[in-house]
mmCIF file of all heavy atoms in Angstrom:
data_model
loop_
_atom_site.group_PDB
_atom_site.id
_atom_site.type_symbol
_atom_site.label_atom_id
_atom_site.label_comp_id
_atom_site.label_asym_id
_atom_site.label_seq_id
_atom_site.Cartn_x
_atom_site.Cartn_y
_atom_site.Cartn_z
ATOM 1 N N VAL A 239 1.375 6.864 8.068
ATOM 2 C CA VAL A 239 2.385 5.992 7.466
ATOM 3 C C VAL A 239 3.132 5.279 8.588
ATOM 4 O O VAL A 239 3.649 5.924 9.497
ATOM 5 C CB VAL A 239 3.375 6.801 6.600
ATOM 6 C CG1 VAL A 239 4.429 5.885 5.996
ATOM 7 C CG2 VAL A 239 2.646 7.563 5.517
ATOM 8 N N ILE A 240 3.175 3.949 8.507
ATOM 9 C CA ILE A 240 3.868 3.136 9.495
ATOM 10 C C ILE A 240 4.814 2.200 8.760
ATOM 11 O O ILE A 240 4.414 1.510 7.831
ATOM 12 C CB ILE A 240 2.879 2.329 10.355
ATOM 13 C CG1 ILE A 240 1.924 3.267 11.084
ATOM 14 C CG2 ILE A 240 3.626 1.445 11.340
ATOM 15 C CD1 ILE A 240 0.826 2.563 11.826
ATOM 16 N N VAL A 241 6.076 2.169 9.202
ATOM 17 C CA VAL A 241 7.090 1.306 8.599
ATOM 18 C C VAL A 241 7.698 0.434 9.694
ATOM 19 O O VAL A 241 8.101 0.947 10.744
ATOM 20 C CB VAL A 241 8.192 2.141 7.902
ATOM 21 C CG1 VAL A 241 9.281 1.238 7.352
ATOM 22 C CG2 VAL A 241 7.605 2.989 6.793
ATOM 23 N N HIS A 242 7.741 -0.866 9.457
ATOM 24 C CA HIS A 242 8.391 -1.825 10.353
ATOM 25 C C HIS A 242 9.584 -2.416 9.615
ATOM 26 O O HIS A 242 9.453 -2.819 8.460
ATOM 27 C CB HIS A 242 7.452 -2.980 10.717
ATOM 28 C CG HIS A 242 6.208 -2.549 11.408
ATOM 29 N ND1 HIS A 242 6.154 -2.296 12.746
ATOM 30 C CD2 HIS A 242 4.955 -2.334 10.937
ATOM 31 C CE1 HIS A 242 4.923 -1.954 13.079
ATOM 32 N NE2 HIS A 242 4.181 -1.959 11.991
ATOM 33 N N ILE A 243 10.735 -2.496 10.278
ATOM 34 C CA ILE A 243 11.908 -3.155 9.717
ATOM 35 C C ILE A 243 12.424 -4.142 10.757
ATOM 36 O O ILE A 243 12.560 -3.801 11.932
ATOM 37 C CB ILE A 243 13.023 -2.152 9.342
ATOM 38 C CG1 ILE A 243 12.520 -1.147 8.308
ATOM 39 C CG2 ILE A 243 14.251 -2.888 8.817
ATOM 40 C CD1 ILE A 243 13.517 -0.074 7.947
ATOM 41 N N GLY A 244 12.703 -5.360 10.318
ATOM 42 C CA GLY A 244 13.199 -6.390 11.233
ATOM 43 C C GLY A 244 14.229 -7.276 10.566
ATOM 44 O O GLY A 244 14.425 -7.245 9.354
ATOM 45 N N GLN A 245 14.876 -8.089 11.395
ATOM 46 C CA GLN A 245 15.925 -8.978 10.913
ATOM 47 C C GLN A 245 15.336 -10.290 10.428
ATOM 48 O O GLN A 245 14.438 -10.848 11.060
ATOM 49 C CB GLN A 245 16.917 -9.248 12.036
ATOM 50 C CG GLN A 245 18.092 -10.094 11.643
ATOM 51 C CD GLN A 245 19.058 -10.290 12.800
ATOM 52 O OE1 GLN A 245 18.714 -10.086 13.949
ATOM 53 N NE2 GLN A 245 20.275 -10.680 12.473
ATOM 54 N N VAL A 246 15.864 -10.803 9.317
ATOM 55 C CA VAL A 246 15.484 -12.117 8.817
ATOM 56 C C VAL A 246 16.432 -13.111 9.476
ATOM 57 O O VAL A 246 17.628 -13.108 9.208
ATOM 58 C CB VAL A 246 15.590 -12.192 7.277
ATOM 59 C CG1 VAL A 246 15.364 -13.611 6.789
ATOM 60 C CG2 VAL A 246 14.615 -11.234 6.637
ATOM 61 N N ASN A 247 15.876 -13.956 10.369
ATOM 62 C CA ASN A 247 16.718 -14.880 11.106
ATOM 63 C C ASN A 247 15.916 -16.111 11.499
ATOM 64 O O ASN A 247 15.828 -16.455 12.660
ATOM 65 C CB ASN A 247 17.304 -14.191 12.336
ATOM 66 C CG ASN A 247 18.425 -14.976 12.969
ATOM 67 O OD1 ASN A 247 18.926 -15.919 12.365
ATOM 68 N ND2 ASN A 247 18.798 -14.601 14.174
ATOM 69 N N ARG A 248 15.278 -16.776 10.536
ATOM 70 C CA ARG A 248 14.497 -17.989 10.749
ATOM 71 C C ARG A 248 13.465 -17.834 11.878
ATOM 72 O O ARG A 248 13.327 -18.701 12.726
ATOM 73 C CB ARG A 248 15.410 -19.175 11.033
ATOM 74 C CG ARG A 248 16.253 -19.548 9.850
ATOM 75 C CD ARG A 248 17.124 -20.696 10.176
ATOM 76 N NE ARG A 248 18.036 -20.267 11.256
ATOM 77 C CZ ARG A 248 18.970 -21.016 11.785
ATOM 78 N NH1 ARG A 248 19.150 -22.236 11.365
ATOM 79 N NH2 ARG A 248 19.734 -20.567 12.735
ATOM 80 N N GLN A 249 12.766 -16.736 11.917
ATOM 81 C CA GLN A 249 11.726 -16.529 12.907
ATOM 82 C C GLN A 249 10.430 -16.150 12.207
ATOM 83 O O GLN A 249 10.419 -15.881 11.021
ATOM 84 C CB GLN A 249 12.127 -15.431 13.916
ATOM 85 C CG GLN A 249 11.937 -14.015 13.439
ATOM 86 C CD GLN A 249 13.083 -13.476 12.610
ATOM 87 O OE1 GLN A 249 13.949 -14.211 12.170
ATOM 88 N NE2 GLN A 249 13.075 -12.182 12.397
ATOM 89 N N SER A 250 9.382 -16.122 12.974
ATOM 90 C CA SER A 250 8.074 -15.749 12.452
ATOM 91 C C SER A 250 7.615 -14.473 13.146
ATOM 92 O O SER A 250 7.787 -14.324 14.355
ATOM 93 C CB SER A 250 7.083 -16.871 12.710
ATOM 94 O OG SER A 250 5.803 -16.483 12.314
ATOM 95 N N VAL A 251 7.051 -13.554 12.378
ATOM 96 C CA VAL A 251 6.562 -12.297 12.929
ATOM 97 C C VAL A 251 5.154 -12.071 12.416
ATOM 98 O O VAL A 251 4.886 -12.213 11.228
ATOM 99 C CB VAL A 251 7.461 -11.115 12.501
ATOM 100 C CG1 VAL A 251 6.891 -9.804 12.998
ATOM 101 C CG2 VAL A 251 8.869 -11.294 12.998
ATOM 102 N N LEU A 252 4.259 -11.723 13.319
ATOM 103 C CA LEU A 252 2.903 -11.334 12.953
ATOM 104 C C LEU A 252 2.718 -9.874 13.338
ATOM 105 O O LEU A 252 2.948 -9.497 14.483
ATOM 106 C CB LEU A 252 1.872 -12.193 13.679
ATOM 107 C CG LEU A 252 1.866 -13.677 13.335
ATOM 108 C CD1 LEU A 252 0.876 -14.417 14.225
ATOM 109 C CD2 LEU A 252 1.496 -13.867 11.884
ATOM 110 N N ILE A 253 2.333 -9.060 12.375
ATOM 111 C CA ILE A 253 2.096 -7.638 12.621
ATOM 112 C C ILE A 253 0.640 -7.366 12.285
ATOM 113 O O ILE A 253 0.193 -7.648 11.176
ATOM 114 C CB ILE A 253 3.020 -6.758 11.758
ATOM 115 C CG1 ILE A 253 4.483 -7.036 12.086
ATOM 116 C CG2 ILE A 253 2.700 -5.279 11.965
ATOM 117 C CD1 ILE A 253 5.464 -6.352 11.171
ATOM 118 N N GLY A 254 -0.088 -6.834 13.233
ATOM 119 C CA GLY A 254 -1.511 -6.548 13.023
ATOM 120 C C GLY A 254 -1.815 -5.097 13.327
ATOM 121 O O GLY A 254 -1.081 -4.422 14.042
ATOM 122 N N SER A 255 -2.891 -4.624 12.777
ATOM 123 C CA SER A 255 -3.343 -3.268 13.063
ATOM 124 C C SER A 255 -4.859 -3.240 13.007
ATOM 125 O O SER A 255 -5.484 -4.018 12.290
ATOM 126 C CB SER A 255 -2.751 -2.266 12.063
ATOM 127 O OG SER A 255 -3.158 -2.590 10.762
ATOM 128 N N ARG A 256 -5.427 -2.351 13.786
ATOM 129 C CA ARG A 256 -6.880 -2.206 13.826
ATOM 130 C C ARG A 256 -7.225 -0.736 13.743
ATOM 131 O O ARG A 256 -6.554 0.113 14.316
ATOM 132 C CB ARG A 256 -7.434 -2.781 15.132
ATOM 133 C CG ARG A 256 -7.228 -4.270 15.249
ATOM 134 C CD ARG A 256 -7.654 -4.760 16.589
ATOM 135 N NE ARG A 256 -9.101 -4.618 16.726
ATOM 136 C CZ ARG A 256 -9.768 -5.032 17.773
ATOM 137 N NH1 ARG A 256 -9.145 -5.598 18.769
ATOM 138 N NH2 ARG A 256 -11.067 -4.881 17.838
ATOM 139 N N CYS A 257 -8.292 -0.456 13.040
ATOM 140 C CA CYS A 257 -8.764 0.920 12.896
ATOM 141 C C CYS A 257 -10.287 0.925 12.903
ATOM 142 O O CYS A 257 -10.922 -0.050 12.522
ATOM 143 C CB CYS A 257 -8.282 1.540 11.591
ATOM 144 S SG CYS A 257 -6.520 1.748 11.480
ATOM 145 N N LEU A 258 -10.831 2.021 13.317
ATOM 146 C CA LEU A 258 -12.267 2.244 13.226
ATOM 147 C C LEU A 258 -12.465 3.243 12.098
ATOM 148 O O LEU A 258 -12.039 4.390 12.191
ATOM 149 C CB LEU A 258 -12.810 2.806 14.539
ATOM 150 C CG LEU A 258 -14.296 3.067 14.587
ATOM 151 C CD1 LEU A 258 -15.064 1.769 14.415
ATOM 152 C CD2 LEU A 258 -14.673 3.734 15.886
ATOM 153 N N TRP A 259 -13.084 2.788 10.993
ATOM 154 C CA TRP A 259 -13.229 3.664 9.852
ATOM 155 C C TRP A 259 -14.425 3.295 9.010
ATOM 156 O O TRP A 259 -15.087 2.298 9.255
ATOM 157 C CB TRP A 259 -11.965 3.728 9.038
ATOM 158 C CG TRP A 259 -11.541 2.470 8.329
ATOM 159 C CD1 TRP A 259 -12.256 1.336 8.105
ATOM 160 C CD2 TRP A 259 -10.282 2.243 7.729
ATOM 161 N NE1 TRP A 259 -11.520 0.434 7.404
ATOM 162 C CE2 TRP A 259 -10.299 0.959 7.163
ATOM 163 C CE3 TRP A 259 -9.142 2.997 7.612
ATOM 164 C CZ2 TRP A 259 -9.213 0.432 6.493
ATOM 165 C CZ3 TRP A 259 -8.072 2.460 6.944
ATOM 166 C CH2 TRP A 259 -8.114 1.196 6.399
ATOM 167 N N ASP A 260 -14.660 4.102 7.996
ATOM 168 C CA ASP A 260 -15.754 3.887 7.068
ATOM 169 C C ASP A 260 -15.206 3.143 5.853
ATOM 170 O O ASP A 260 -14.390 3.698 5.113
ATOM 171 C CB ASP A 260 -16.337 5.237 6.648
ATOM 172 C CG ASP A 260 -17.509 5.105 5.694
ATOM 173 O OD1 ASP A 260 -17.980 3.964 5.467
ATOM 174 O OD2 ASP A 260 -17.956 6.146 5.170
ATOM 175 N N PRO A 261 -15.626 1.901 5.604
ATOM 176 C CA PRO A 261 -15.062 1.140 4.487
ATOM 177 C C PRO A 261 -15.418 1.703 3.108
ATOM 178 O O PRO A 261 -14.783 1.342 2.121
ATOM 179 C CB PRO A 261 -15.652 -0.259 4.670
ATOM 180 C CG PRO A 261 -16.800 -0.100 5.572
ATOM 181 C CD PRO A 261 -16.579 1.131 6.384
ATOM 182 N N LYS A 262 -16.389 2.591 3.034
ATOM 183 C CA LYS A 262 -16.752 3.191 1.743
ATOM 184 C C LYS A 262 -15.745 4.242 1.293
ATOM 185 O O LYS A 262 -15.541 4.427 0.099
ATOM 186 C CB LYS A 262 -18.137 3.825 1.828
ATOM 187 C CG LYS A 262 -19.244 2.830 2.033
ATOM 188 C CD LYS A 262 -20.564 3.533 2.172
ATOM 189 C CE LYS A 262 -21.662 2.534 2.523
ATOM 190 N NZ LYS A 262 -22.906 3.215 2.860
ATOM 191 N N SER A 263 -15.116 4.946 2.229
ATOM 192 C CA SER A 263 -14.232 6.041 1.840
ATOM 193 C C SER A 263 -12.802 5.886 2.353
ATOM 194 O O SER A 263 -11.886 6.458 1.781
ATOM 195 C CB SER A 263 -14.804 7.373 2.327
ATOM 196 O OG SER A 263 -14.983 7.338 3.725
ATOM 197 N N ASP A 264 -12.585 5.125 3.427
ATOM 198 C CA ASP A 264 -11.254 4.953 3.983
ATOM 199 C C ASP A 264 -10.611 3.699 3.401
ATOM 200 O O ASP A 264 -11.292 2.725 3.089
ATOM 201 C CB ASP A 264 -11.326 4.829 5.504
ATOM 202 C CG ASP A 264 -11.975 6.037 6.147
ATOM 203 O OD1 ASP A 264 -11.962 7.108 5.531
ATOM 204 O OD2 ASP A 264 -12.489 5.903 7.261
ATOM 205 N N THR A 265 -9.286 3.732 3.287
ATOM 206 C CA THR A 265 -8.591 2.598 2.693
ATOM 207 C C THR A 265 -7.150 2.570 3.166
ATOM 208 O O THR A 265 -6.713 3.436 3.934
ATOM 209 C CB THR A 265 -8.669 2.648 1.153
ATOM 210 O OG1 THR A 265 -8.161 1.431 0.629
ATOM 211 C CG2 THR A 265 -7.902 3.815 0.589
ATOM 212 N N PHE A 266 -6.391 1.591 2.683
ATOM 213 C CA PHE A 266 -4.983 1.497 3.032
ATOM 214 C C PHE A 266 -4.216 0.902 1.868
ATOM 215 O O PHE A 266 -4.782 0.316 0.947
ATOM 216 C CB PHE A 266 -4.778 0.644 4.286
ATOM 217 C CG PHE A 266 -4.996 -0.822 4.062
ATOM 218 C CD1 PHE A 266 -3.923 -1.678 3.833
ATOM 219 C CD2 PHE A 266 -6.269 -1.357 4.070
ATOM 220 C CE1 PHE A 266 -4.128 -3.030 3.618
ATOM 221 C CE2 PHE A 266 -6.487 -2.704 3.863
ATOM 222 C CZ PHE A 266 -5.406 -3.544 3.637
ATOM 223 N N SER A 267 -2.911 1.053 1.935
ATOM 224 C CA SER A 267 -2.010 0.482 0.955
ATOM 225 C C SER A 267 -0.852 -0.140 1.721
ATOM 226 O O SER A 267 -0.402 0.414 2.727
ATOM 227 C CB SER A 267 -1.512 1.578 0.016
ATOM 228 O OG SER A 267 -0.710 1.031 -0.996
ATOM 229 N N SER A 268 -0.365 -1.286 1.264
ATOM 230 C CA SER A 268 0.659 -2.011 2.003
ATOM 231 C C SER A 268 1.637 -2.672 1.045
ATOM 232 O O SER A 268 1.259 -3.099 -0.049
ATOM 233 C CB SER A 268 -0.013 -3.063 2.883
ATOM 234 O OG SER A 268 0.938 -3.733 3.661
ATOM 235 N N TYR A 269 2.898 -2.768 1.479
ATOM 236 C CA TYR A 269 3.911 -3.451 0.675
ATOM 237 C C TYR A 269 4.946 -4.076 1.603
ATOM 238 O O TYR A 269 5.355 -3.466 2.599
ATOM 239 C CB TYR A 269 4.597 -2.483 -0.291
ATOM 240 C CG TYR A 269 5.610 -3.155 -1.171
ATOM 241 C CD1 TYR A 269 5.207 -3.941 -2.254
ATOM 242 C CD2 TYR A 269 6.965 -3.052 -0.917
ATOM 243 C CE1 TYR A 269 6.128 -4.577 -3.054
ATOM 244 C CE2 TYR A 269 7.896 -3.681 -1.725
ATOM 245 C CZ TYR A 269 7.468 -4.446 -2.785
ATOM 246 O OH TYR A 269 8.380 -5.094 -3.574
ATOM 247 N N VAL A 270 5.383 -5.302 1.276
ATOM 248 C CA VAL A 270 6.404 -6.013 2.047
ATOM 249 C C VAL A 270 7.648 -6.141 1.189
ATOM 250 O O VAL A 270 7.588 -6.599 0.044
ATOM 251 C CB VAL A 270 5.913 -7.414 2.478
ATOM 252 C CG1 VAL A 270 7.015 -8.158 3.213
ATOM 253 C CG2 VAL A 270 4.673 -7.310 3.330
ATOM 254 N N PHE A 271 8.796 -5.748 1.758
ATOM 255 C CA PHE A 271 10.084 -5.874 1.090
ATOM 256 C C PHE A 271 10.940 -6.856 1.889
ATOM 257 O O PHE A 271 10.873 -6.896 3.116
ATOM 258 C CB PHE A 271 10.789 -4.514 1.026
ATOM 259 C CG PHE A 271 12.203 -4.602 0.540
ATOM 260 C CD1 PHE A 271 12.477 -4.643 -0.808
ATOM 261 C CD2 PHE A 271 13.256 -4.666 1.435
ATOM 262 C CE1 PHE A 271 13.774 -4.740 -1.266
ATOM 263 C CE2 PHE A 271 14.553 -4.761 0.996
ATOM 264 C CZ PHE A 271 14.817 -4.803 -0.358
ATOM 265 N N ARG A 272 11.759 -7.623 1.174
ATOM 266 C CA ARG A 272 12.634 -8.579 1.854
ATOM 267 C C ARG A 272 13.936 -8.719 1.071
ATOM 268 O O ARG A 272 13.921 -8.828 -0.154
ATOM 269 C CB ARG A 272 11.941 -9.931 1.942
ATOM 270 C CG ARG A 272 12.683 -10.976 2.708
ATOM 271 C CD ARG A 272 11.883 -12.253 2.738
ATOM 272 N NE ARG A 272 10.591 -11.966 3.328
ATOM 273 C CZ ARG A 272 9.950 -12.775 4.139
ATOM 274 N NH1 ARG A 272 10.445 -13.932 4.429
ATOM 275 N NH2 ARG A 272 8.790 -12.450 4.630
ATOM 276 N N ASN A 273 15.062 -8.715 1.791
ATOM 277 C CA ASN A 273 16.337 -9.098 1.193
ATOM 278 C C ASN A 273 16.948 -10.184 2.076
ATOM 279 O O ASN A 273 16.265 -10.724 2.959
ATOM 280 C CB ASN A 273 17.265 -7.895 0.966
ATOM 281 C CG ASN A 273 17.763 -7.252 2.235
ATOM 282 O OD1 ASN A 273 17.657 -7.813 3.323
ATOM 283 N ND2 ASN A 273 18.313 -6.065 2.111
ATOM 284 N N SER A 274 18.202 -10.528 1.899
ATOM 285 C CA SER A 274 18.790 -11.650 2.628
ATOM 286 C C SER A 274 18.986 -11.362 4.110
ATOM 287 O O SER A 274 19.114 -12.290 4.917
ATOM 288 C CB SER A 274 20.133 -12.032 2.002
ATOM 289 O OG SER A 274 21.027 -10.935 2.093
ATOM 290 N N SER A 275 18.993 -10.105 4.507
ATOM 291 C CA SER A 275 19.281 -9.749 5.889
ATOM 292 C C SER A 275 18.104 -9.152 6.660
ATOM 293 O O SER A 275 18.030 -9.281 7.867
ATOM 294 C CB SER A 275 20.436 -8.748 5.907
ATOM 295 O OG SER A 275 20.711 -8.320 7.205
ATOM 296 N N LEU A 276 17.168 -8.499 5.958
ATOM 297 C CA LEU A 276 16.081 -7.805 6.661
ATOM 298 C C LEU A 276 14.787 -7.868 5.874
ATOM 299 O O LEU A 276 14.771 -8.202 4.698
ATOM 300 C CB LEU A 276 16.460 -6.337 6.943
ATOM 301 C CG LEU A 276 16.837 -5.420 5.791
ATOM 302 C CD1 LEU A 276 15.620 -4.796 5.156
ATOM 303 C CD2 LEU A 276 17.760 -4.341 6.298
ATOM 304 N N PHE A 277 13.711 -7.549 6.594
ATOM 305 C CA PHE A 277 12.396 -7.399 5.956
ATOM 306 C C PHE A 277 11.839 -6.047 6.364
ATOM 307 O O PHE A 277 12.226 -5.480 7.390
ATOM 308 C CB PHE A 277 11.428 -8.522 6.370
ATOM 309 C CG PHE A 277 10.964 -8.412 7.792
ATOM 310 C CD1 PHE A 277 9.812 -7.716 8.124
ATOM 311 C CD2 PHE A 277 11.691 -9.006 8.818
ATOM 312 C CE1 PHE A 277 9.388 -7.606 9.432
ATOM 313 C CE2 PHE A 277 11.268 -8.904 10.132
ATOM 314 C CZ PHE A 277 10.120 -8.201 10.439
ATOM 315 N N ALA A 278 10.949 -5.525 5.552
ATOM 316 C CA ALA A 278 10.300 -4.253 5.858
ATOM 317 C C ALA A 278 8.841 -4.319 5.427
ATOM 318 O O ALA A 278 8.522 -4.867 4.376
ATOM 319 C CB ALA A 278 11.003 -3.108 5.146
ATOM 320 N N LEU A 279 7.986 -3.783 6.254
ATOM 321 C CA LEU A 279 6.563 -3.675 5.960
ATOM 322 C C LEU A 279 6.192 -2.202 6.055
ATOM 323 O O LEU A 279 6.456 -1.556 7.075
ATOM 324 C CB LEU A 279 5.729 -4.483 6.953
ATOM 325 C CG LEU A 279 4.232 -4.236 6.939
ATOM 326 C CD1 LEU A 279 3.620 -4.723 5.632
ATOM 327 C CD2 LEU A 279 3.564 -4.885 8.120
ATOM 328 N N ALA A 280 5.600 -1.668 4.996
ATOM 329 C CA ALA A 280 5.158 -0.268 4.985
ATOM 330 C C ALA A 280 3.653 -0.233 4.752
ATOM 331 O O ALA A 280 3.147 -0.878 3.840
ATOM 332 C CB ALA A 280 5.875 0.512 3.898
ATOM 333 N N ASN A 281 2.950 0.494 5.597
ATOM 334 C CA ASN A 281 1.503 0.674 5.478
ATOM 335 C C ASN A 281 1.191 2.158 5.387
ATOM 336 O O ASN A 281 1.756 2.966 6.134
ATOM 337 C CB ASN A 281 0.763 0.106 6.689
ATOM 338 C CG ASN A 281 0.808 -1.391 6.747
ATOM 339 O OD1 ASN A 281 0.719 -2.057 5.729
ATOM 340 N ND2 ASN A 281 0.946 -1.928 7.946
ATOM 341 N N VAL A 282 0.282 2.504 4.489
ATOM 342 C CA VAL A 282 -0.256 3.870 4.403
ATOM 343 C C VAL A 282 -1.753 3.759 4.595
ATOM 344 O O VAL A 282 -2.436 3.085 3.823
ATOM 345 C CB VAL A 282 0.066 4.535 3.045
ATOM 346 C CG1 VAL A 282 -0.589 5.900 2.959
ATOM 347 C CG2 VAL A 282 1.554 4.640 2.830
ATOM 348 N N TYR A 283 -2.248 4.393 5.633
ATOM 349 C CA TYR A 283 -3.687 4.426 5.905
ATOM 350 C C TYR A 283 -4.215 5.779 5.458
ATOM 351 O O TYR A 283 -3.647 6.813 5.781
ATOM 352 C CB TYR A 283 -3.971 4.227 7.388
ATOM 353 C CG TYR A 283 -3.477 2.898 7.902
ATOM 354 C CD1 TYR A 283 -2.258 2.805 8.563
ATOM 355 C CD2 TYR A 283 -4.216 1.749 7.722
ATOM 356 C CE1 TYR A 283 -1.791 1.589 9.020
ATOM 357 C CE2 TYR A 283 -3.766 0.527 8.173
ATOM 358 C CZ TYR A 283 -2.547 0.462 8.838
ATOM 359 O OH TYR A 283 -2.097 -0.753 9.277
ATOM 360 N N ALA A 284 -5.297 5.774 4.702
ATOM 361 C CA ALA A 284 -5.919 6.993 4.206
ATOM 362 C C ALA A 284 -7.321 7.084 4.799
ATOM 363 O O ALA A 284 -8.196 6.290 4.467
ATOM 364 C CB ALA A 284 -5.987 7.002 2.689
ATOM 365 N N VAL A 285 -7.507 8.035 5.701
ATOM 366 C CA VAL A 285 -8.779 8.216 6.389
ATOM 367 C C VAL A 285 -9.413 9.506 5.897
ATOM 368 O O VAL A 285 -8.806 10.579 5.986
ATOM 369 C CB VAL A 285 -8.563 8.264 7.918
ATOM 370 C CG1 VAL A 285 -9.892 8.424 8.643
ATOM 371 C CG2 VAL A 285 -7.830 7.016 8.400
ATOM 372 N N TYR A 286 -10.618 9.395 5.373
ATOM 373 C CA TYR A 286 -11.320 10.547 4.803
ATOM 374 C C TYR A 286 -11.809 11.474 5.917
ATOM 375 O O TYR A 286 -12.420 11.014 6.879
ATOM 376 C CB TYR A 286 -12.493 10.081 3.941
ATOM 377 C CG TYR A 286 -13.310 11.207 3.372
ATOM 378 C CD1 TYR A 286 -12.784 12.040 2.412
ATOM 379 C CD2 TYR A 286 -14.600 11.429 3.815
ATOM 380 C CE1 TYR A 286 -13.532 13.082 1.889
ATOM 381 C CE2 TYR A 286 -15.360 12.461 3.301
ATOM 382 C CZ TYR A 286 -14.816 13.275 2.343
ATOM 383 O OH TYR A 286 -15.550 14.309 1.820
ATOM 384 N N LEU A 287 -11.542 12.755 5.774
ATOM 385 C CA LEU A 287 -12.019 13.754 6.729
ATOM 386 C C LEU A 287 -13.166 14.525 6.110
ATOM 387 O O LEU A 287 -13.027 15.090 5.037
ATOM 388 C CB LEU A 287 -10.893 14.724 7.080
ATOM 389 C CG LEU A 287 -9.678 14.126 7.773
ATOM 390 C CD1 LEU A 287 -8.599 15.171 7.937
ATOM 391 C CD2 LEU A 287 -10.059 13.539 9.098
ATOM 392 N N GLU A 288 -14.307 14.545 6.783
ATOM 393 C CA GLU A 288 -15.466 15.269 6.257
ATOM 394 C C GLU A 288 -15.381 16.730 6.606
ATOM 395 O O GLU A 288 -14.847 17.143 7.552
ATOM 396 C CB GLU A 288 -16.749 14.673 6.840
ATOM 397 C CG GLU A 288 -17.012 13.302 6.311
ATOM 398 C CD GLU A 288 -18.314 12.715 6.841
ATOM 399 O OE1 GLU A 288 -18.929 13.317 7.728
ATOM 400 O OE2 GLU A 288 -18.696 11.673 6.358
#
Side-chain angles (χ1 to χ4, degrees):
V239 179
I240 301 173
V241 177
H242 300 278
I243 300 176
Q245 183 178 18
V246 173
N247 193 13
R248 294 180 297 181
Q249 80 276 13
S250 175
V251 176
L252 295 175
I253 299 173
S255 61
R256 295 174 67 176
C257 295
L258 181 63
W259 66 14
D260 181 8
K262 294 177 186 171
S263 57
D264 302 336
T265 189
F266 72 98
S267 184
S268 183
Y269 182 76
V270 177
F271 171 83
R272 184 179 302 218
N273 67 14
S274 62
S275 177
L276 57 85
F277 71 91
L279 168 67
N281 290 322
V282 176
Y283 299 98
V285 181
Y286 177 68
L287 297 175
E288 291 182 352

